[in-house]
Amino acid sequence: MNNKAVILGNNYYIGLSTIRCLGMYGIHTVAADYSEEERYGAKSKYCSEKIIVPHYKKDSENFIDALIDYAKKQDAKPVLIPCHDSYVEVLDTQLDRIREYYLIPQTEQGLYTKVMNKETLEALAVEKGIKVPETIRVDEDDFAEKIETIIKFPCLVKPTDSPSFVEKFRRKLFKVHSMDELNDALKQAKDADEEVIVQRIIPGFDDHMHTFDAYLNQDGKVTHWVTCQKLRQYPINFGASVYTVQKYIPELVEQASDFLEAIKFKGFAEIEFKKDAETGDFYLIEINARITNLNDLLAKVGMNIPYITYMELTGAPLAPTALKETTNRAFWYGYEDMLAIRDYIKTGQLSVMNVIKSLIRPKAYAIWDWKDPKPAFAYTGIILSKVFKRIGKR
């Protein structure tokens, strides 16, 4: 295995799990980050090499140049694996150039951005017959009337470009309950130069969120897939997964597979759906076009996405797999799940007994691994440092 694997974004557990998923097979893993600060993923015993590159957003041109300079020095093309949306966005703008020096699944420059952008994703979904939540643009005629009659309150103000919005507001969206709150949210977005849309909330608790996680080969065909059900998110109701179980959901498979193949996607994609509590219909919410929170769970139930990606791109594709059963194994990000549980109980959405019952199942941990404990210790140190700083400011 002469091809190294360069992993972008190791200050989060997605990068850590990617390093582990590859390192356990003896693959040379390279943690590429813009800073040593908080990159606990690089503490893994499976991390073979660490490099520092310019910031992907503040200095994107030199970031790309640094990656290329690194690749030029290697004996074989490295496999490039981004573990954060912002890395994907920057790489997508230079995809044709990057592909000269790296192995990366996607071949169509701009497609990553299309599926990550809420407006263009909606257009693709509608074109292919996939249900999406009703959406109103802020510049539409009769805007207020459409909000009152089609969208109704409460509703969501969502960014078209999620990474930029999250970076500025430290949240994924605004939930508003009145026209005054809506106008205030729109003003905040405008002042921050963020383009947003207004969307209907699909009824149903957080356990109505489901995922279809799949790998599409270089022929654009789904070769590996797993379905999952979220149980808890943080922030609650409209956040990232902190407790999700693998569950076979056959209703998702055909429509999700057909959609990804129809748009000619290649590589890993995770489609998030929400099941309407009133109609039972599944609505496409978003697509993650990079390794996701659930990576370790997927690997433990037989779908090691980083390894599948690496092996196909280096010329030794693995046999197709589909998990048509429910293992009931859960992904668990313990620290944020504790925060989520606090808020679910505080708002009356869950009881203590609900939570206790949910925890009794085999788990895939976000950070902890008995065989590779250093990242967890480093992460604990980071959290404690932040806690002490907050206490010191009081």
Side-chain angles (χ1 to χ4, degrees):
M1 296 181 181
N2 294 327
N3 308 80
K4 295 181 178 180
V6 176
I7 295 108
L8 303 172
N10 304 283
N11 57 349
Y12 198 50
Y13 61 82
I14 298 175
L16 168 61
S17 68
T18 300
I19 287 172
R20 286 171 171 165
C21 281
L22 295 170
M24 64 188 292
Y25 288 99
I27 294 167
H28 185 107
T29 58
V30 184
D33 298 281
Y34 58 85
S35 170
E36 287 286 357
E37 188 179 358
E38 296 190 3
R39 66 164 172 171
Y40 60 88
K43 302 288 186 183
S44 171
K45 71 177 185 180
Y46 298 109
C47 181
S48 311
E49 184 180 350
K50 297 187 286 184
I51 62 173
I52 295 294
V53 295
H55 195 281
Y56 55 88
K57 204 156 194 176
K58 295 176 183 176
D59 196 6
S60 57
E61 188 173 333
N62 286 326
F63 164 70
I64 296 293
D65 288 343
L67 288 179
I68 290 174
D69 288 343
Y70 178 82
K72 285 179 177 179
K73 297 173 185 175
Q74 309 310 312
D75 295 331
K77 272 188 177 183
V79 175
L80 186 61
I81 304 180
C83 296
H84 189 278
D85 287 341
S86 294
Y87 282 112
V88 175
E89 282 191 328
V90 173
L91 293 177
D92 200 28
T93 65
Q94 301 284 331
L95 188 63
D96 290 344
R97 185 176 170 216
I98 284 288
R99 282 178 54 81
E100 292 181 37
Y101 304 95
Y102 283 91
L103 300 174
I104 192 166
Q106 192 52 255
T107 56
E108 181 187 332
Q109 185 166 318
L111 184 56
Y112 281 142
T113 303
K114 281 183 183 177
V115 300
M116 291 170 63
N117 181 284
K118 298 294 188 294
E119 281 199 298
T120 50
L121 174 59
E122 182 196 10
L124 285 172
V126 171
E127 179 187 334
K128 305 302 180 184
I130 302 293
K131 289 181 181 292
V132 291
E134 292 83 347
T135 301
I136 301 296
R137 277 77 184 163
V138 297
D139 58 354
E140 286 189 29
D141 293 334
D142 304 319
F143 174 77
E145 181 183 343
K146 289 178 179 177
I147 294 296
E148 297 283 2
T149 59
I150 299 173
I151 305 298
K152 301 179 181 177
F153 291 105
C155 61
L156 305 178
V157 177
K158 300 177 72 172
T160 58
D161 179 13
S162 290
S164 174
F165 186 93
V166 170
E167 185 176 351
K168 292 174 182 175
F169 292 105
R170 311 309 301 171
R171 60 199 296 183
K172 295 177 70 173
L173 49 78
F174 294 121
K175 181 180 179 181
V176 297
H177 300 79
S178 66
M179 191 59 73
D180 286 342
E181 287 187 14
L182 173 58
N183 288 332
D184 179 62
L186 295 178
K187 183 179 185 305
Q188 289 187 59
K190 184 177 181 180
D191 290 346
D193 198 27
E194 289 293 327
E195 185 178 343
V196 293
I197 54 179
V198 185
Q199 203 168 75
R200 179 174 78 91
I201 296 176
I202 304 302
F205 179 58
D206 290 2
D207 61 3
H208 283 60
M209 294 295 299
H210 302 78
T211 68
F212 176 79
D213 296 86
Y215 185 82
L216 290 87
N217 65 13
Q218 290 300 287
D219 293 325
K221 298 298 180 183
V222 173
T223 55
H224 303 73
W225 60 260
V226 172
T227 53
C228 301
Q229 179 184 16
K230 287 188 181 185
L231 294 189
R232 294 189 290 274
Q233 336 183 67
Y234 186 76
I236 64 172
N237 306 138
F238 301 103
S241 172
V242 292
Y243 199 73
T244 293
V245 296
Q246 184 280 316
K247 180 180 179 182
Y248 177 43
I249 309 158
E251 307 98 295
L252 290 185
V253 178
E254 185 176 353
Q255 63 171 316
S257 296
D258 289 349
F259 175 66
L260 290 172
E261 291 180 358
I263 64 174
K264 297 180 171 53
F265 197 90
K266 295 177 183 178
F268 174 72
E270 178 183 84
I271 306 183
E272 288 195 9
F273 289 92
K274 187 169 185 181
K275 186 177 183 179
D276 190 313
E278 297 172 359
T279 67
D281 293 332
F282 284 93
Y283 286 79
L284 188 154
I285 302 300
E286 66 178 4
I287 291 183
N288 291 308
R290 41 78 187 161
I291 305 298
T292 70
N293 304 45
L294 307 183
N295 187 54
D296 193 51
L297 170 63
L298 302 181
K300 281 185 166 57
V301 298
M303 195 173 88
N304 185 330
I305 290 299
Y307 188 59
I308 291 167
T309 304
Y310 181 93
M311 294 303 287
E312 192 204 9
L313 295 181
T314 56
L318 302 180
T321 58
L323 191 54
K324 298 181 180 180
E325 61 183 78
T326 296
T327 65
N328 207 33
R329 184 181 287 272
F331 160 77
W332 192 26
Y333 183 17
Y335 171 64
E336 287 198 349
D337 191 34
M338 292 301 105
L339 300 176
I341 289 169
R342 174 200 64 191
D343 293 345
Y344 282 118
I345 293 174
K346 184 178 179 180
T347 57
Q349 297 181 59
L350 285 176
S351 68
V352 173
M353 189 54 65
N354 292 144
V355 173
I356 292 173
K357 286 181 179 179
S358 74
L359 292 171
I360 305 172
R361 50 168 52 93
K363 299 176 184 69
Y365 300 97
I367 298 172
W368 177 250
D369 187 328
W370 285 102
K371 297 178 181 178
D372 186 29
K374 282 187 178 180
F377 295 143
Y379 177 76
T380 301
I382 292 168
I383 295 299
L384 289 176
S385 176
K386 290 180 178 179
V387 169
F388 291 141
K389 281 181 182 178
R390 288 196 198 104
I391 293 172
K393 290 178 181 178
R394 290 179 181 176

